[in-house]
Amino acid sequence: MLSGQESGDEGPEPTASGDGGSGDGTSEEDPAEPGAGVPGDAAEEGDGPAVFLTEPVRRRAVEIAAVAMPGLGPGKVPARLRRFLKFSPVKRAKLAKSELVVALASDTAFREDLAEVLTSTDSPLIGAIATGGEVSPMADPAEVAALAYLLRPEGWRELIATATQAVPETAEAPVAERAPEGDPKRLAALEKENGKLRGALAEQRSAASVLQEELRRMRRELKDAEDRAAKAAGDLAAERGRLKHLDTERRSERRRLESEVESMKTQLERVRKADREHERLTSARLWLLMETLSGTATGLRRELGLEPVGDRPADYIADELCAEPEERTAEGSRGLDQTDPQRLDHLLSLPNPHLIVDGYNVTISAWGETLTLEQQRNRLVQGLGAVAAQTNAEITVVFDGADAIFGAKPSARGVRVLFSAKGQIADDVVVELARVEPEGRPVIVVSSDQEVAMRVRREGAYPVPSPLLVRWLQRS
């Protein structure tokens, strides 16, 4: 069983309400009134009349609670009682008496936690009271009543009443009953006891004031928390509404886009169908035209008696240009000077010719002393534009691009203007253009560079000196 302690000559404690009087904060409990005590927490239990503990029972309940307090976790001890945990049980019961009385009467959770600590011990008396068994008649009635108040077994009110009646009257008689009237010493002792009671009452009122202030603060905090929760709930509802509206808009936009996609697919299918029909119609027309042309060519070949030949006009011109002047007998080129524009006319009259011009080789030799490079390029390209307009020739002019090019790139209808890449000269580009042309196509290269003329001649092209093109342009 839990050990007890001496309480000294401390007077009775205030009631559980903390004001020790009638509730108006001014009256005091008469220490001489026999049977005065502190009511239990019947108000919070709500299952019976209020229970009043006599001073011996209340004192013993405080002692038992002080011994059991260290068995609670730090979080289960009320904040106002935690500072007393560092003291011994005897000193804790003496110093924390008022707070323990209030806590036991008002804090149900604290009392129930203490009951769990008490029932975990191996005390036969605690076990008998907790389980409703038979209590030994040798047990201290005050301790039985205190344990019944703390454990709250079934029928605890009757058990407290029975045990309280068994408490000796000398144990609960106040000082007023032990002091005969007219005895100065006893009267002084009574006055001293009243002073202690008044001090205890003042302490209880101070504690009650602190509790009330803490209660008001907690109510304010609770109200603030409720306001914040209400605001958060409103914000959450607004955000949910906004998200719902956005989701509705998104779904509507998705349906619109899906409708547009379906419409575009339908239109694309109609266009593809129309293209296929047009392609079939065009193929049929082209096939009919080719059949007509083939029949016409066959009829002309039969009527004129033409036999298949392996020579091409370009091959004839190539042989003519490669032969010595006195050996050239081709019609239209016999007796023509190398700088005669008619020679270039003859070459450009061949079927589908390609005229390749070494740009700066022509411009510098013709206008190098009078015009800037940009002016030279523009003049040459414009002149070649006139050539393209007068003939059916494909025309390409190549300029060196190794140096920086100032001014806009020249252009003319029907003229392809090229600049060599960095690290490459225009001569190599001219030769490459001649090389890639199919064999038999007339390719005319205008350049006075003998090396270029020799290289393009090996590729089957016809080299023409730059002055010939200049004279042709001047004549035009």
Side-chain angles (χ1 to χ4, degrees):
M1 184 165 52
L2 296 174
S3 61
Q5 64 190 44
E6 294 183 359
S7 62
D9 56 354
E10 297 176 0
E13 294 294 330
T15 64
S17 61
D19 55 4
S22 62
D24 57 358
T26 58
S27 62
E28 299 181 358
E29 181 184 4
D30 185 0
E33 182 183 351
V38 178
D41 55 347
E44 64 181 78
E45 295 291 338
D47 56 355
V51 175
F52 292 90
L53 303 180
T54 60
E55 175 60 22
V57 175
R58 175 157 45 90
R59 182 170 58 248
R60 190 64 182 133
V62 170
E63 293 172 355
I64 296 174
V67 174
M69 271 179 59
L72 300 177
K76 294 184 178 181
V77 179
R80 61 180 178 275
L81 295 176
R82 293 174 188 172
R83 58 192 177 96
F84 298 107
L85 289 174
K86 60 184 179 180
F87 300 112
S88 64
V90 175
K91 193 172 183 179
R92 186 182 307 120
K94 183 177 181 180
L95 297 178
K97 181 178 180 181
S98 302
E99 286 81 358
L100 277 172
V101 170
V102 174
L104 291 175
S106 60
D107 195 337
T108 304
F110 173 61
R111 187 180 62 250
E112 291 177 351
D113 293 336
L114 286 176
E116 291 182 6
V117 175
L118 292 173
T119 54
S120 64
T121 63
D122 55 357
S123 171
L125 179 59
I126 294 177
I129 294 175
T131 59
E134 184 178 356
V135 179
S136 173
M138 303 299 295
D140 182 9
E143 186 170 2
V144 172
L147 288 174
Y149 177 72
L150 293 174
L151 298 177
R152 303 292 175 92
E154 185 177 356
W156 62 277
R157 297 176 183 276
E158 292 78 6
L159 184 58
I160 291 177
T162 303
T164 302
Q165 292 177 358
V167 175
E169 295 181 0
T170 57
E172 60 177 346
V175 178
E177 294 184 357
R178 300 197 301 267
E181 295 182 1
D183 189 345
K185 293 182 179 180
R186 299 298 175 87
L187 291 177
L190 181 58
E191 186 67 26
K192 182 179 179 181
E193 186 72 18
N194 289 336
K196 290 182 179 180
L197 290 175
R198 292 189 184 95
L201 179 60
E203 291 178 1
Q204 291 299 315
R205 288 176 176 174
S206 177
S209 177
V210 173
L211 290 175
Q212 289 175 357
E213 181 63 28
E214 183 176 357
L215 178 61
R216 286 193 293 270
R217 180 182 61 80
M218 294 181 66
R219 284 177 177 173
R220 289 195 298 269
E221 292 178 355
L222 177 61
K223 186 177 183 304
D224 293 341
E226 291 176 349
D227 292 342
R228 290 194 297 270
K231 183 178 182 301
D235 295 342
L236 179 60
E239 184 66 16
R240 286 178 176 174
R242 188 182 69 84
L243 292 178
K244 184 177 180 181
H245 180 69
L246 291 177
D247 184 64
T248 303
E249 290 184 348
R250 181 184 62 81
R251 293 176 182 273
S252 176
E253 182 67 14
R254 180 178 178 180
R255 288 193 295 268
R256 186 185 64 81
L257 292 177
E258 289 177 350
S259 176
E260 290 184 359
V261 168
E262 291 298 327
S263 176
M264 293 178 67
K265 286 182 178 179
T266 304
Q267 294 179 6
L268 179 60
E269 185 62 28
R270 287 200 297 267
V271 170
R272 287 177 177 175
K273 183 178 180 181
D275 288 343
R276 289 193 295 270
E277 293 177 355
H278 179 71
E279 184 178 358
R280 288 196 298 269
L281 178 60
T282 303
S283 299
R285 290 177 175 176
L286 181 59
W287 181 85
L288 181 59
L289 178 61
M290 293 300 295
E291 284 294 316
T292 303
L293 292 176
S294 176
T296 302
T298 301
L300 289 174
R301 193 180 300 115
R302 187 185 305 111
E303 182 178 351
L304 297 176
L306 298 178
E307 297 295 334
V309 295
D311 296 335
R312 298 288 181 181
D315 296 333
Y316 173 77
I317 297 300
D319 295 339
E320 184 69 20
L321 292 175
C322 292
E324 294 298 328
E326 60 274 9
E327 297 177 357
R328 293 177 182 168
T329 57
E331 182 179 358
S333 62
R334 182 182 296 117
L336 295 179
D337 186 76
Q338 288 289 330
T339 59
D340 189 349
Q342 291 185 2
R343 184 169 182 269
L344 187 56
D345 287 336
H346 175 69
L347 294 174
L348 292 175
S349 63
L350 295 174
N352 195 22
H354 187 183
L355 177 63
I356 303 174
V357 181
D358 187 355
Y360 286 138
N361 186 274
V362 175
T363 61
I364 294 176
S365 63
W367 312 295
E369 298 179 357
T370 59
L371 302 177
T372 64
L373 290 179
E374 181 182 1
Q375 293 173 340
Q376 295 175 28
R377 291 194 299 268
N378 291 333
R379 184 166 182 177
L380 175 61
V381 172
Q382 296 302 323
L384 293 175
V387 177
Q390 298 175 18
T391 65
N392 65 339
E394 176 184 0
I395 301 176
T396 302
V397 58
V398 183
F399 297 99
D400 280 313
D403 298 327
I405 305 301
F406 298 94
K409 181 178 179 181
S411 62
R413 186 178 182 85
V415 180
R416 182 188 297 111
V417 180
L418 301 178
F419 289 89
S420 62
K422 186 176 182 180
Q424 186 182 30
I425 60 177
D427 296 350
D428 295 336
V429 179
V430 170
V431 176
E432 182 67 15
L433 288 172
R435 186 187 68 79
V436 298
E437 289 293 342
E439 183 179 359
R441 183 184 184 186
V443 179
I444 306 150
V445 177
V446 179
S447 179
S448 295
D449 191 332
Q450 295 301 319
E451 182 182 356
V452 173
M454 179 181 63
R455 293 172 63 187
V456 299
R457 185 178 287 111
R458 286 199 296 266
E459 300 296 339
Y462 306 130
V464 174
S466 298
L468 181 60
L469 177 61
V470 175
R471 292 184 61 187
W472 194 95
L473 294 175
Q474 292 174 348
R475 187 195 64 179
S476 302

